[in-house]
Amino acid sequence: MNRGNLLYEGKAKRVYQTDREDQVWVEYKDDATAFNGEKKAVIDRKGEWNNRISAVFFHYLKERGVANHFIRLLSSREQLVKHVSIIPLEVVVRNRAAGTLVKRLGLEAGQVFPQPVVEFYYKDDALGDPLINEDHIRLLNLATPERVEEMKQTALTVNQLLTELLEQHQITLVDFKLEFGVDASGQLLLADEISPDTCRFWDSRTGKVMDKDRFRRDLGDVEEAYQEIWNRLGGEAHV
Ligand code: UDP
C-alpha cells in the first residue's frame, strides 16, 4: 500500500489517498486544539497514542458486530481505513454530567445518569458546532430519520461495549463523541477516531482525569495520561 496525495488536513489528522479508491491512509498529528481552535499546542506523542488507542477500540467494536471504517494499523501513528463520506454530525453519548452539559443544564459535575443521554451536534466550524435536534437534521437534509435512528442505536451499543471493556481496566467512560460515514455502497460505518481526544475517561478508583480535559483545563501530564490509557488497554500486546 502506497501513500498518495493529501486529500484533507484537519486539526488532529491528515488523510491521504492510497492505490485504492475505497481506502484512505490516516496520519495522526501531535497538534492539540480546544475551544473551537482558540487554544493550541503540540503534545509530543499524542498522535501515536490516539492512533493506537483508536485502533484497539475500532478492532474491538468490529469483532462485536459494529460496522466501522478501520482496516489495519500502518505504523505507530498511521492507519488504513475505508474511504467514507462523513455525515456532518457529531453524536455524543453521556453517562455522567461533564463539560458543556454541566453548564447548559446546571447539573452537578460527575452526576451519574439513570440512562445514557444522546445528543447531536452539527459539524460546522463557522457556526461553532451547535447542538441540534432530529427536526433540525431533517430540515438541513443532513440525514434521513431512519439514518438518525441507526446512528443513535449504534452509539448506544458502542457505549455499552466500550463501558464494559474500560471497566475491566478501572476506567470510567464518562462521555464520548462519534462520527459516522457512508461508503460507496451506501452502508453506514462508524468512522473518525475514538481516543482520549474524543472521550472523557476517569480513573474508576481515584477519579483522576485521563483525557483531553487535562489539556483543556491545564492539568498537566497530558501525554502521560494518554499513554496510561494505552498501557491499561494492554499496550504492546496489541502491536
Ligand atoms: N467532543 C469531541 N469533539 C467536539 C466536542 C466534544 O470529541 O468537537 C467530545 C468531548 O471530548 C467529550 C464529549 O464529546 O468527551 C462531550 O463533550 P461536551 O459537549 O461536554 O463538550 P466539551 O466540554 O468537551 O467542549
Side-chain angles (χ1 to χ4, degrees), residues 18 22 27 59-60 74 76 84 105 123 162 186 191-192 204 222:
T18 65
D22 59 344
E27 181 193 3
H59 174 75
Y60 166 86
L74 292 163
S76 61
V84 295
L105 301 185
K123 262 170 73 77
L162 291 186
D192 194 51
S204 309
V222 184

Side-chain angles (χ1 to χ4, degrees), residues 27-43:
E27 181 193 3
Y28 282 70
K29 304 193 289 185
D30 286 341
D31 297 352
T33 62
F35 311 118
N36 210 7
E38 275 169 46
K39 181 168 178 166
K40 287 191 184 134
V42 174
I43 298 164

Side-chain angles (χ1 to χ4, degrees), residues 217-233:
R217 292 160 51 192
D218 293 321
L219 300 175
D221 294 337
V222 184
E223 194 264 319
E224 288 78 359
Y226 283 38
Q227 181 170 7
E228 169 81 18
I229 295 288
W230 165 244
N231 287 341
R232 287 203 198 179
L233 288 171

Side-chain angles (χ1 to χ4, degrees), residues 90 92 94 98-100 121 175-177 197-200 216:
E90 295 186 341
V92 168
R94 303 173 183 274
T100 54
Y121 292 84
D175 59 28
F176 59 95
K177 182 266 300 180
D197 267 9
T198 65
C199 303
R200 285 195 169 91
R216 293 189 189 96

Side-chain angles (χ1 to χ4, degrees), residues 30-222:
D30 286 341
D31 297 352
T33 62
F35 311 118
N36 210 7
E38 275 169 46
K39 181 168 178 166
K40 287 191 184 134
V42 174
I43 298 164
D44 192 39
R45 296 187 83 182
K46 178 181 82 90
E48 179 180 339
W49 305 126
N50 282 353
N51 179 47
R52 292 185 184 283
I53 293 165
S54 201
V56 170
F57 287 147
F58 276 102
H59 174 75
Y60 166 86
L61 291 169
K62 189 175 273 182
E63 297 238 298
R64 283 154 187 81
V66 179
N68 66 61
H69 74 159
F70 181 72
I71 301 172
R72 64 184 162 89
L73 276 179
L74 292 163
S75 76
S76 61
R77 52 176 70 239
E78 295 163 305
Q79 57 181 259
L80 188 66
V81 303
K82 290 185 188 160
H83 193 180
V84 295
S85 162
I86 293 282
I87 298 171
L89 287 171
E90 295 186 341
V91 185
V92 168
V93 182
R94 303 173 183 274
N95 298 305
R96 288 169 172 249
T100 54
L101 195 69
V102 170
K103 282 191 198 155
R104 195 180 323 119
L105 301 185
L107 302 175
E108 193 186 322
Q111 185 183 326
V112 180
F113 300 151
Q115 56 188 55
V117 169
V118 180
E119 299 169 342
F120 294 95
Y121 292 84
Y122 179 27
K123 262 170 73 77
D124 184 310
D125 281 341
L127 296 176
D129 296 346
L131 176 70
I132 61 174
N133 69 21
E134 301 187 26
D135 284 348
H136 299 136
I137 294 173
R138 194 192 306 220
L139 181 70
L140 295 173
N141 267 321
L142 302 177
T144 63
E146 294 74 29
R147 269 273 138 89
V148 171
E149 188 55 29
E150 200 182 345
M151 285 190 272
K152 190 171 170 178
Q153 290 312 321
T154 305
L156 289 169
T157 302
V158 168
N159 185 43
Q160 237 164 33
L161 290 168
L162 291 186
T163 296
E164 265 171 43
L165 173 67
L166 289 159
E167 270 174 357
Q168 291 168 29
H169 303 288
Q170 286 74 49
I171 300 165
T172 300
L173 181 60
V174 175
D175 59 28
F176 59 95
K177 182 266 300 180
L178 299 177
E179 293 186 26
F180 290 87
V182 180
D183 70 10
S185 73
Q187 196 196 358
L188 185 75
L189 295 177
L190 183 61
D192 194 51
E193 69 177 286
I194 307 177
S195 73
D197 267 9
T198 65
C199 303
R200 285 195 169 91
F201 297 132
W202 293 354
D203 184 294
S204 309
R205 288 162 298 195
T206 65
K208 183 182 147 190
V209 170
M210 303 174 76
D211 55 60
K212 188 170 162 181
D213 273 347
R214 298 203 73 81
F215 169 64
R216 293 189 189 96
R217 292 160 51 192
D218 293 321
L219 300 175
D221 294 337
V222 184

